[in-house]
Amino acid sequence: MFYDHQQIEKKWQKYWEQNQTYKTSDATSKPKFYVLDMFPYPSGAGLHVGHPLGYIASDIYARYKRHQGYNVLHPVGYDSFGLPAEQYAIQTGQHPAITTEENINRYEQQLKKIGFSFDWSREIRTSDSSYYKWTQWIFIQLFHSWYNKTIDKAESIDTLIKHFETKGTEGLNANQNDKLSFTAGEWNAASEEDKQDILLNYRLAFRAETTVNWCPALGTVLANDEVIGGKSERGGFPVYQKKMMQWSMRISAYSERLLQGLATLDWPQPLKDSQEYWIGKSQGAKVKFLIDGNNETSDNQQPATDKVIEVFTTRPDTVFGSTFMVLAPENPLVESITTESQKAEVENYITETSKKTERDRMADVKSVSGAFTGSYAINPFTGKKMPIYISDYVLMGYGTGAVMAVPAHDERDHRFAKKFGLEIIEVVAGGENVQEEAFASKDGKCINSDFLNGLNYEEAKSKIIEEIVKRNIGEGTINYRQRDAIFSRQRYWGEPVPVYFKNDLPYTLPVSALPLALPEVEKYLPTEDGDPPLGNAKDFAWDEANQKVVVTDLIDNVTVFPLELSTMPGWAGSSWYFLRYMDPHNDEVFCEKELSDYWGQVDLYIGGSEHATGHLLYSRFWNMFLKDRGYIDQDEPFQKLINQGMILGMSAFVFRIDGSNQFVSKALAGDYKTQKIHVDVSLLKGGSDELDTEAFKMWRPEFADAEFILDNGKYITEREVEKMSKSKFNVVNPDDISEEFGADCLRLYEMFLGPLEQSKPWNTQGLSGVYGFLKKFWNLYFDGDIFVVSDDEPTKAEYKVLHTLIKKVVYDVENFSFNTSVSSFMIAVNELQKLKCNKRAILEPLAVIISPYAPHICEELWSLLGHDESVEYVKFPELDENYLVEDEIEYPVSFNGKMKFKLALSATLTANEIEKIILKDERVINFLGSQAPKKLIIVPKKIINIVL
């Protein structure tokens, strides 16, 4: 029977949509299972065959869990705010909402063609005001919260205000920007403006001056993961370090909980390692070094200023070897301590450093550069003066933005000391020659260190911290590398921040005013005054008296105030979307507590590893905050996470002879000086390596008059496996594959390529084998063109094939080994074909087993089998191990360990019974001849070995 995949797939996609087959119930009586794919951004290019890999895997698992009787939540939506749509708006003037809508429509068409079992009724888009209303609401809750370190959780800012009213800062243990000290009386006497200013020091969403990655060409601040090699990931524009007033999220308050929570998660270890490194917990000490005001090189001088440099060090045991200090170029102290003679050099160095991102500075471990400030600090333990430098290897975001340099025992400090001719003093024994190479190991005893001499690392660390505290110059402490997350973007296409400014202090809008809608603007670039694009809006001011947004011309700073012009970052909407799917249409709360309690954590989350230190950290942070404030009950958002690998493209290259428009075939290219150029894989003949030269000439205008030097009448391209990308012209459109081979074939083939977590190359030619399997599977149910299924009882052999498959598929799906399941399908169908099996008792469960992988063909077969309902919710076939018990065992019969023949015997025979049978076998008698066997080794159900 002809397998018409196009007709079948269109029919069932229409059926699923009309009948809302995958609509999830909110009834909490059934056990739940929540399967989620990482939020897709709808790009203009649409999907290529690499994108659906993770979606197919999650879809198989979701369908499998439905067969097991679970209430499955498998939703879809779009992370629809983003820089690409805004850049397109700047170039064309088209509103980003229009571009985004077009892109989403394209994505949705493609996703539906592949047959995913998403609950489309729960679709969300971060750029819809009905969604970002609640993103803004969460921001307001963060603004009105502080972190109480005593109980290790966030609380309402009202509890902090009560503490100030009764105790001031006495006994306060809070996460804060600066350590403040005031009495209850001073707080109560303070003005409203002063109180609001103080509270900003504690709020979880706060505004402060921060060093950011500023991209002038894009007119916005970029996150570290949006900058590569000092340039923007989008567009490749230069990025500079710049100090700006920015909104930030106090994620640093959650560093320890984020670290400890990793132990509870079933995540890939490399991903956990990335987060652990990013959080960067280290134990050590904070130590204060006085700055000497004499700017002379002689030692043991009394300081002439009261300025102090506080450092965090993980090696306080080496303080006697600290011979100079290094500050981050952004450190606020630099300006005040730089002498007049060093000012030009320092300013030039700061300018050069501003062109590098923190990530670049961390990665560049070999380069050594710096500038002397002209000032000195005093080592509190040696009394020696220490020259103070600035260098880009010290980061303002880690520790205090200053280091006590110990060149004998730190590689970077050593390289710096050698470059600038600074003193190197050995204080830990064990190195060969610290003047030439740093000895960074902790496995050595202290020397040249006064009262620390002879102590090991742990002893010396404890002793020196004790002395630091006694001298009142510091304390033992724990530090985290993780910085507070910048939450402002100077761009248009993002969530407006629900804040207005009164006397230059931020106040949140009332919740009743949400959503604060994104206003219309005439242009999407910053204003002439340098304000973000929202500064171009004419209707974007807050009327405090009437509680509504009004035209900006009415701003009088008495009753009408300016609104915040920055928008939220791209990660805001994706940090809580998994919660909104639980209750997507609720306009009263972001998610009903009863529903969030039922759905709880995402049970299976599939997506790329590139989100390790961005989205996944921010989502965990917001989830923990919402739990602290009592809105949800689960500690972590995603229990099990799988990073799918990439499907790589098979790129094609042509060879252009330098200085000409002649192209030479691959095998002949070595005879010429050539340039290797990517060519679109669609220009190859039938998926082979041969270029369609006429199509190539029509591809781009510059190739219209191309000439070719052929090899045996053909132009053969060079092929290479690379990341699938539009820029490499190696993209394969899933629409084309679905049209030619079917969505079921695409789904099976992507799983068949290899383990889910591994990257693997795409090869369109490989689809024909999978398509052949689908035709065999289809024809099991037909005799010629007639659908024929028998109600006869299956044979033991047929049952064995079925139950072998059930056992294998259950194991494979539960262990995410989807590729081996596809192999098992092929084996089972081949065996059933040989057995000429057409029994209902075999073919019905077979359709159910294969349906998570190939739903369209299985729905059609299930319907032909006489069922009115969808196959989707049919119970998954149960394994009966009895069918796997062997009735007969084919024993290898060996003589002195060498197999001579095989003998089929009943599986129930004992060793004695087997011995009697074997000694009467004519082949054994012939082999033995006149010899008597010395020994007969019989292992029931395994081997027979006759020893002569």
Side-chain angles (χ1 to χ4, degrees), residues 81-83 86 126 131-140 142 205 220-221 226 246-247 249 486-499 514 516 518 534 564-574 576 622:
F81 275 131
L83 201 50
E86 180 156 354
T126 56
Y131 179 86
Y132 69 68
K133 165 185 177 176
W134 297 108
T135 309
Q136 292 171 337
W137 180 87
I138 294 171
F139 173 89
I140 289 172
L142 284 154
T220 191
V221 170
E226 294 175 314
Q246 294 286 300
W247 284 100
M249 288 283 171
I486 294 171
F487 199 70
S488 301
R489 294 291 185 271
Q490 286 64 44
R491 64 187 188 208
Y492 173 75
W493 191 233
E495 301 93 338
V497 179
V499 162
L514 300 182
L516 173 60
L518 192 61
L534 290 188
E564 171 62 61
L565 299 180
S566 295
T567 51
M568 297 185 192
W571 55 265
S574 62
W576 71 282
W622 278 29

Side-chain angles (χ1 to χ4, degrees), residues 290-296 301-307 376 378 385:
L290 287 169
I291 298 174
D292 184 80
N294 292 319
N295 297 328
E296 297 173 1
Q301 296 286 320
Q302 290 299 310
T305 75
D306 59 358
K307 288 192 175 74
Y376 296 82
I378 295 175
K385 300 187 75 167

Side-chain angles (χ1 to χ4, degrees), residues 344-355:
E345 182 184 346
V346 166
E347 287 178 350
N348 286 338
Y349 188 80
I350 290 172
T351 300
E352 287 304 308
T353 303
S354 73
K355 298 174 184 176

Side-chain angles (χ1 to χ4, degrees), residues 449-462:
S449 298
D450 196 6
F451 56 86
L452 298 181
N453 286 340
L455 301 181
N456 64 29
Y457 167 70
E458 291 295 342
E459 294 167 338
K461 186 176 180 179
S462 177

Side-chain angles (χ1 to χ4, degrees), residues 727-797:
S727 64
K728 300 182 189 298
F729 303 107
N730 60 3
V731 166
V732 178
N733 190 326
D735 296 359
D736 298 337
I737 301 300
S738 295
E739 187 71 21
E740 185 174 353
F741 297 97
D744 286 339
C745 187
L746 172 68
R747 292 167 63 102
L748 285 164
Y749 179 64
E750 293 216 3
M751 293 299 97
F752 188 53
L753 281 172
L756 178 62
E757 297 90 342
Q758 293 180 11
S759 293
K760 44 259 177 185
W762 176 269
N763 182 359
T764 301
Q765 291 169 309
L767 284 155
S768 56
V770 176
Y771 192 67
F773 154 72
L774 284 169
K775 288 194 287 187
K776 273 188 185 178
F777 171 50
W778 174 254
N779 280 298
L780 277 179
Y781 298 75
F782 291 86
D783 183 1
D785 289 338
I786 302 169
F787 183 82
V788 178
V789 175
S790 164
D791 289 322
D792 293 346
E793 179 67 15
T795 64
K796 283 186 177 181

Side-chain angles (χ1 to χ4, degrees), residues 139-178:
F139 173 89
I140 289 172
Q141 306 315 305
L142 284 154
F143 183 84
H144 291 292
S145 300
W146 67 292
Y147 201 87
N148 187 338
K149 292 166 76 173
T150 300
I151 60 172
D152 200 24
K153 64 185 286 191
E155 288 189 318
S156 167
I157 203 78
D158 292 340
T159 64
L160 180 64
I161 293 170
K162 286 177 182 175
H163 187 106
F164 289 159
E165 288 172 345
T166 56
K167 300 178 182 178
T169 54
E170 182 186 348
L172 183 68
N173 190 12
N175 195 281
Q176 58 202 308
N177 298 342
D178 301 309

Side-chain angles (χ1 to χ4, degrees), residues 420-436:
F420 291 97
L422 301 167
E423 188 177 13
I424 299 173
I425 299 174
E426 184 176 22
V427 291
V428 179
E432 291 186 11
N433 180 3
V434 295
Q435 299 303 318
E436 297 303 321

